[in-house]
Every structure is written in structure tokens, then in C-alpha cells.
Amino acid sequence: MEAFSGRPLGPERHPPVGRSRKGRASRLDPRSAAGQVFLLQVVIVVLLVVAAVVGMVLQAASDALQKGRRESVIAAQSFASAPGVAAALQSPDPSAVLQPRAEAARKRTGMDFIVVMSTKGIRYTYPYPREIGKKFVGTIAPALKGRTVVEQAGGPPLPAGQGTDVQAVVPVTDSRGKVVGLVSAGITVKNVAELWLPQLPIILAGGAVALALAMTGTTLVSRRLRRQTFGLAPVELAQLYEHHDAVLHAVREGVLITDADGRLLLANDEATRLLGLPADVRGRSVRELGLSEPVMSLLSSREEVTDEVRRAGDRLLAVNKRLTYPQSDRGGSVVTLRDTTELAEVSGRAEVARERLKLLYEAGVRIGTTLDVRRTAQELADVAAPQFADLVTVDLLDAVLRGWEPTAEGWRHLRRAAIGGEQRMMPVYPLDEVIAFSPRTPQMRTLQEGRGMLETDLRRSHGWREQDPERSQKALEGGLRSLVAVPLRARNVPLGVANFYRTADSPAFEPEDLTFAEELAVRAAVAIDNARRFTREHAMAVALQRSLLPRGQPEQDALEVAWRYLPSEEGVGGDWFDVIPLPGARVALVMGDVVGHGLHAAATMGRLRTAVHNFSTLDLPVDEVLGNLDDMVVRMDNERNRGDAVDGHEGEAVTGATCLYAVYDPVAGTCTMARAGHPEPVVVRPDGTVTCPGVPVSAPLGLGGYPFESTEVSLPEGSQLVLYTDGLVENRAHDFDVGLERLRRALRGSGKRTPEETCQAVIDALKPSRPSDDIALLTARTRMFPPSRVAEWDVPPDPALVPSVRARCRETLLEWGLEETGFATELIVSELVTNAIRYGSPPVGVRLLHGRRLICEVSDGSGTMPRLRRAATTDEGGRGLFLVAQFAQRWGTRYTTRGKVIWTEQLLHDGESAASGLAPVDFLLDQFDLDQFDEPGL
């Protein structure tokens, strides 16, 4: 309790409840002083604005009149002095000559009128022709004498409107100085006066700014007054002091206020009771009150005191003292007194309880920061030592460390998972050692009985000593004295044992310590069990995902490939990659990432990977592959929304995925790519330069209805194409752009590295210490088909030319040293070319590729797909594709922008294996007359 000193007692400066809604309107109330000051300022500002406007109008009118007089004289004299004016006045028809010139001059000079008249004042020109020939309105006598006349006069209507005009009249003289006519030019006063109007907004804006400043100043002053008085009226302030006085004398804490001279200004009822003060103490010096020396010296000094205990008679008082004006000598002090006689008796226990609560809080914060079983066990040991025990060991069942469900069969063998505290002098079992506890040890008993065990003196604990007599004796000689062993249980299942030891330098454990150790173990066991369950799920998800990822590299000639996959420590995600051989020696590279973590993300990844394999088998364009994947993810989401999916499992919601699909053609040296929300690949040229191919980014999979764009880039032989997921370049420490720049730096100079070396260099440079997301990395170095291993030619659409095609095929195979495959290859090429000529459309082409396998391709311009069927014994044809399928290991059809390509692949192991592949079709060859191969087709 603190005394009220006439100033706010705390940092809160808000008005009482019920008065804060008045707002700014109440602060500017006309009935208040602030409101009246503001109204006076408004009147002053308005008068100043009006005076400024009037003065500006008058000044502008005067300036405009002077300007109009000057411009009228200049315009009149200029026209009167113009060549030909005097001659025109002496001509038979002056109006015909001067009217066009006067109007042109009027428009050029901006005058309202230029009038040429005779010496008698008859107009020859006027803006309105009907006024020509009439008498000029104005003074012309001085002008006839050779002087210039400037005046204000009215006249006929003008283009600028009726009104008084400022006009000048000047004479026109001939070569002998004789006045032969007059010229008058003028501007209406109305047009001149409008010059001051653009300045009016400036004055009004200045007035508005002055009003705003006045309102702001008044508001600030009003707010300060309200803040200092809390917005209270005098009556409310009086009530506040009354309430304060009532509270001051009702609290169970003594309050004393003294001035700078040591006189007592205030003492509430509780202070009077605690110190035994008389009733008339106000205004008396503290030295006259008969107080004890400690209390009197406290009240008379200027020393601040915080929670000090002073004796006053038979009481122990907790004293707090603060100076009212600590920066000067004129202030007094405020002293509060609290009776702590009863609290002193239990202060020791309260301190212990406070330390225990603090330790429990620290345990809740520090234990379970990760989902690692060993790390969590070590956190328990670090929290308990040395604040609760001198030495702490944690022994867990082996099944718990592996993430399995613990069973009673494993109790006899526990593995040491953590050690905390002073262990240098103690011969304890080392980390990771398997300990076989005997049945009489406290550790085994606590597991069997499910409760903590207290050993106050280990010298008398026979069960503990018989576990390892030699090690136990050394521990006792080192000073080990007492033990508390508590089980680590979660969901009523034992996970292990926590052992808390104290040495002879610390007090022995008591029953209260056993209760605290059990509470500490319960909190740690929950964290350990959570880590165990995560370890199990993580291991299952990793095993599932690794089983769904490629096990080895497929056979292909186009790329040299290496990859890395690193699962996240927080939960396996849905990252995947693939290398898929395609017809025509091409290879598809796939990199994808399913949103989410856990088993469901891994299973979804497997479904998408299988779908990509199926779509690649159809040899679809890259953008169509992504389109089909997008439809599949949408269907998967729809199934979940209809309730087909199992509910209540973390991470099962499929919210989308990203994917990059690329097809590399080693014959053309090009790579066609498309990506659906996936990071752009990086290309490392043979010279080591790092670039991005500029693949257009499309929407992620699962949004539905968005098109996918593809691009084709040329890759020189030896280039490396680097595909990755966002876990490699993005984490909590930095964003995507920073990670991408780090990747580029890691790849610089990688032109001469192998893909394996490139992968390792990237992982070493970018792998985080604790990855929060899966990392997938795929590096592929391009190869080109040598021109000597590629043979292609066009075939005219004439069946009679098929034998020449077979002959050219035979010659090519002889050059390649593939004579043993000649018969089968000629048969395949002959059949495919004949079908293309008969049933397809031009152009027809043949291409042979000699790589790991022999690839035969026959293309034509038709989109009709050939189908394998079983021919009847009476059919004369229909067996060609069946023979092709028997002689080739694989065959199929792919479509291009110009038609289709029928392809076959043949193994090239050795002559024996190639010949053995012909055995299954011997019975068919017997049905054919081999002489027919001289004909164009089979």
C-alpha cells in the first residue's frame, strides 16, 4: 500500500470508466474554456481571411486596370503605326481593307476590340459588322490634336460581354503628320478583374490551415488538462479523496508519511497499531514518539529501503521506504509496514517450494524442445542437475529409442540415454551402454511396482550394491550417498528409469524429494513418449518414401545422373524425383513436392509418381502430363471432401503439389520442360557458367483449370541440369531468393565435375544443420548421340521402294557391326515402312539409333494408331505387327506435331542372346515363304 501524494500513482493516465466516450466533442464544448478559446480563434481567422480577400480583390482590380490601360495603349499605337493603315483610311472603302486586319490583330493581342474610325468618330471596324458606320462612344477630341486618350467608357456589345471597358484612343497620321483617322483598342474591366480569382484558393487554404492549427492546439491543451485531472469535476475529485482516505485507513498495512524535517504527516490505523503510536501524532517529530531505535533511525533518514525486516517490540516488520522527491532535499518519505512475524516461521519452506515450482516451470520449458528421444532424455538430466541432484542418469528401454512400443520383456535390458551433472569422479555406466539390472535393484523395482524408490543411504542399499559391487564401492568412495529412482511412464506404459543421485556434500533425499522427482519424471515421460511416437512415424514415413523413390538408375544413354534425398527431422514430406527412359533414346526427368508431411504425404507422392510413369508411357507432351496430374490431384481432393478419406489423421489433407517435368532428346540436344509451381531448374554449362533456362511458372497442381506452359532449350553436350525441391534453398534462416543465390554460387565452376561430385558439393554448401523440410536434388549431365550412330532417311510413298529401304538398313547395320541383328531389323523396318506407305500418309521417314539398344523408328504423317491383333489362318495379312512385337523387345507409338512415330527396341548383348530371341517365332516363320522378303513388305 502506498500513500496518495497528490500525483498519479502509476503509469495509467486514462479517465475513469464512463467518461472516455465523450471524445473530442466534449473537449471542445462551447461551454468549456477550451471551447470558447477555440471559437474566438475561429472568428479571428475568419476575419483575417475576409480582410485578405478584400485587400487582394482591390489590389488585383487596381493592378488589372493599370495593366489594361497599358496594354490598350500599346495595342492601339501598334495598329495605328502599322504600314498601310493611313493609306487605307484615305481609300474609297476603308472598312473593306481594315476590318480583316483589325480582327486579326485583336485576336493576336488578346484585346476585346480594335476600332478604326474617321476623324469624325465614324467606325470603320468593329468585332460585330453591324456596328460599323456608327458613332464611336468615347472621347476623341484630344486624339484629333495628336494626343493619346485612355478612359473607361461603355459601348456596343463586345465578344467579351457588355460592360465598361478600358480603352485607349490614338491618332493615325500620314507622312506629313496630318491626323487622318483614329484607332481605339480596349479590354473590358470584367475580364481584367478575373485575374485575382486564382489566388483565392491560396488564401482559403491558409485560413483552413490556421483553423486546423488552432483546433489542434486547443485540443492538446484540453487533453492535457483532462489528463492531469483524470477528467474529473471538483465534486468527483472530493469524492476521490474521501474514498482514498477510507481505503488508506482500512488496509492491513501500515502507512507513514513524513516531511523533510522528520515530522509525521500521516499515520493510518494499521501503522498506529503496529508501532503503538498515540492518537495525536500528526505534526510531531518522529524522535518524540518513543519508537525503538531501529524504527526511529529508519523514519528520520533519507535512505530508501526495500523489504527489510526490522524488529519493533515483539514484532518483525517488513519495511519499504520511498522518498517523495528523491532528486531534492525538500521532500519527505512514505513508509509501509507489514507484520511478518508468522511468515518468518514458514519462510524456509516457502523458499524451497518456490525453488521447486521454478524448477518445474523450467522443466516444462526446456524438456521436449525437440522430437528426438535422446535429446529429450538429456534435457531432463540437464534440468535436474545440479539444481535438484548432483548426478542424474536416464536409462530407456531399447524399444523406446528405436521408436517401437515398449513391452515388459525388455525391462531387464535398459540403454543409458543421458547423463547430467558431476560425473567425472563417479564410475557410472557410459552413454549408450546396455545395462542388465538385477531384480533387487531400485531401478527394476520401480519399473515393476510403477512407483518411485527412495534410498536415503546407499551404503545400506543391498539391492543397489549387488548390481555391480566393484563399481558401487568406487561410487561410495567418491562420495555418492542417496538415490531417488522414478519410473518414466506415459499412457500407463513404462519407458525407462530416471536416477537422481546426491553426494555427501548435499543433504540426503527426503520423502518430499521423492514426490517432486515423480512429478518431474511425469512431465519428462510425456515428452519422451511424444518423441518416441514421432520417431516411429518418422521411420515409417522415411521407409515408405524411400521404398517409393527410385532404387537404382535405369539403363539409358542420354544422361549421366546422380541424386540425393534427405528427409526432414520434423516429418517426412512428399518430395520425389524420377528418371524415366522414353522411346527414341529420350529420358524424362521428374521432380515433385507434395504439400504436407507424414505418411499421407508419402503415400500421395507414390500415387503421383505412379501416375507420372503411366503418363510418360503414353509419351504425352510435357504440358499434357502436368495437366493430367492436375486433374488427378483435383480428384483426390474431391474424394477427401466427399468423406471417402479417413478422418482424424494428421497431414491427410491434400492441398496441392508442385512438379517439374522435363524430357531430354540426346539426338537433337534439346530439353523440353514445364513446371507447375515448382522452383526453376538451374543449368550449368560446360564452361562452368550457371544460368536459369527461363521455364514459365504455372499454377501448382490441384487448383484445376489452369494451363501449363512449356519451353524448349538447347543444351550442349556436357551441360548439367540441376533439379531440386524448395527444402534445399528455403528455410527459416533465409528466404527463397537468398537460397537460390547460394545454390548458384555452389554450382559455379561445376562444368568439369561429375554429377555425383556436383550433388555432394551442393549438399555440403546448402544443407541446414536441422532441415525442417525434405531435400531432393537431381543432377543430370547431358550426352549427345554421335552422328555416326544415327542413320535416317526419307522414303518416297511407293511400295516398290521397300527393298531398297531394307538394303540401306542392311548396309547401315554392317557399318555398325550389327550383322547378327540384320535379319530381325530388316523384317521390322520392312513391315513398318510397308504399313506406313499403305495405311499412313506422307512424309514417311526411317531412323536408326545405335546405343545401348538398337532403336528403329518409322514416321509418317497419319495419326492412326496401329493395333496388334491375332490373324486367322485364312487371312493373307495381319501378322506383321505380331512379328514386330516378337522380334523387338519393346515397341510402341508416339505422336508428334507432324503425325506419329512407330518405334521398336532390340537388345544388343551378343550374337547368341540376339539369336535366342528368334526362337519363339520359328513356328510363324515356317508359315511364310521367305522368298517373299524380296517383295515390298511382309
Side-chain angles (χ1 to χ4, degrees), residues 107 110-111 116 137 144 177 264 279 296 300 303 323 330 385 410 465 516 560 606 631 655 678 749 787 811 924 932:
K107 294 177 180 179
M111 305 301 293
V116 182
V137 179
L144 294 174
L264 193 62
M296 185 180 65
S300 59
E303 178 185 0
L323 301 179
R330 64 185 183 85
R465 298 185 66 175
F516 175 77
E560 182 183 353
D631 295 339
T655 57
H678 200 81
E811 294 174 358
L924 286 176
Q932 65 182 324

Side-chain angles (χ1 to χ4, degrees), residues 567-869:
S568 165
E569 293 188 4
E570 299 182 1
V572 175
D575 295 13
W576 93 91
F577 56 89
D578 225 327
V579 180
I580 306 173
L582 297 178
R586 297 169 303 137
V587 176
L589 299 177
V590 189
M591 182 68 70
D593 186 1
V594 176
V595 175
H597 292 83
L599 291 173
H600 183 72
T604 303
M605 177 271 289
R607 296 176 65 181
L608 294 180
R609 180 171 179 250
T610 303
V612 172
H613 271 272
N614 295 335
F615 296 144
S616 64
T617 301
L618 299 176
D619 211 346
L620 300 175
V622 293
D623 53 341
E624 292 187 21
V625 171
L626 294 183
N628 290 329
L629 283 178
D630 183 53
D631 295 339
M632 180 178 177
V633 175
V634 170
R635 288 195 300 271
M636 293 165 64
D637 277 339
N638 293 337
E639 291 174 1
R640 177 181 60 84
N641 295 333
R642 289 195 301 267
D644 297 337
V646 180
D647 296 331
H649 290 75
E650 179 184 0
E652 287 195 355
V654 178
T655 57
T658 65
C659 184
L660 171 66
Y661 188 75
V663 176
Y664 175 68
D665 187 348
V667 178
T670 59
C671 184
T672 305
M673 293 177 279
R675 58 185 178 126
H678 200 81
E680 187 175 13
V682 178
V683 175
V684 182
R685 301 288 179 176
D687 59 359
T689 58
V690 180
T691 61
C692 290
V695 183
V697 61
S698 301
L701 303 177
L703 299 182
Y706 290 92
F708 297 95
E709 299 182 52
S710 63
T711 186
E712 182 178 278
V713 297
S714 177
L715 298 178
E717 185 173 13
S719 300
Q720 295 192 42
L721 185 63
V722 181
L723 283 62
Y724 55 93
T725 56
D726 56 0
L728 180 68
V729 296
E730 187 176 24
N731 55 40
R732 298 187 182 98
H734 54 74
D735 57 14
F736 181 85
D737 293 336
V738 175
L740 183 58
E741 181 59 30
R742 293 179 59 197
L743 173 61
R744 290 176 176 172
R745 289 200 299 266
L747 290 174
R748 286 185 186 132
S750 299
K752 302 302 181 181
R753 296 176 181 169
T754 65
E756 280 289 341
E757 295 172 344
T758 300
C759 281
Q760 192 59 46
V762 171
I763 292 298
D764 293 342
L766 274 71
K767 178 189 175 184
S769 58
R770 299 182 62 84
S772 59
D773 194 5
D774 288 7
I775 295 176
L777 174 65
L778 176 65
T779 302
R781 183 161 63 181
T782 60
R783 298 169 178 162
M784 293 286 290
F785 249 83
S788 60
R789 296 294 186 97
V790 180
E792 57 181 334
W793 58 89
D794 297 329
V795 178
D798 184 1
L801 298 178
V802 174
S804 63
V805 174
R806 291 201 304 268
R808 187 167 183 178
C809 176
R810 187 183 310 115
E811 294 174 358
T812 302
L813 296 178
L814 288 175
E815 293 178 2
W816 290 346
L818 303 177
E819 297 87 348
E820 69 278 3
T821 63
F823 175 78
T825 306
E826 289 181 46
L827 186 147
I828 291 171
V829 171
S830 178
E831 173 59 26
L832 295 181
V833 171
T834 301
N835 286 345
I837 293 174
R838 288 181 177 178
Y839 307 114
S841 60
V844 178
V846 177
R847 186 171 74 166
L848 300 179
L849 302 177
H850 178 200
R852 193 182 302 266
R853 300 177 182 182
L854 179 61
I855 301 174
C856 301
E857 295 181 345
V858 176
S859 61
D860 65 83
S862 171
T864 305
M865 179 178 180
R867 292 185 299 171
L868 181 66
R869 66 183 181 88

Side-chain angles (χ1 to χ4, degrees), residues 95 116 121-126 128-136:
S95 295
V116 182
I122 303 301
R123 301 190 189 97
Y124 291 146
T125 66
Y126 200 81
Y128 297 119
R130 65 176 179 273
E131 299 296 329
I132 296 174
K134 297 181 181 181
K135 185 73 173 178
F136 175 75

Side-chain angles (χ1 to χ4, degrees), residues 380 486-490 516-528:
L380 168 61
V486 292
L488 297 171
R489 299 174 61 89
F516 175 77
E518 288 177 338
E519 176 67 22
L520 194 63
V522 167
R523 300 194 177 201
V526 174
I528 291 175

Side-chain angles (χ1 to χ4, degrees), residues 133-198:
K134 297 181 181 181
K135 185 73 173 178
F136 175 75
V137 179
T139 303
I140 63 174
L144 294 174
K145 296 178 181 180
R147 297 197 300 270
T148 299
V149 180
V150 180
E151 62 179 355
Q152 297 181 17
L158 294 171
Q162 295 182 354
T164 304
D165 61 282
V166 178
Q167 62 185 14
V169 181
V170 298
V172 180
T173 59
D174 57 8
S175 58
R176 293 172 298 181
K178 179 182 178 181
V179 176
V180 296
L182 303 174
V183 175
S184 176
I187 299 177
T188 60
V189 175
K190 177 181 179 181
N191 288 348
V192 174
E194 290 178 353
L195 296 175
W196 64 271
L197 290 178

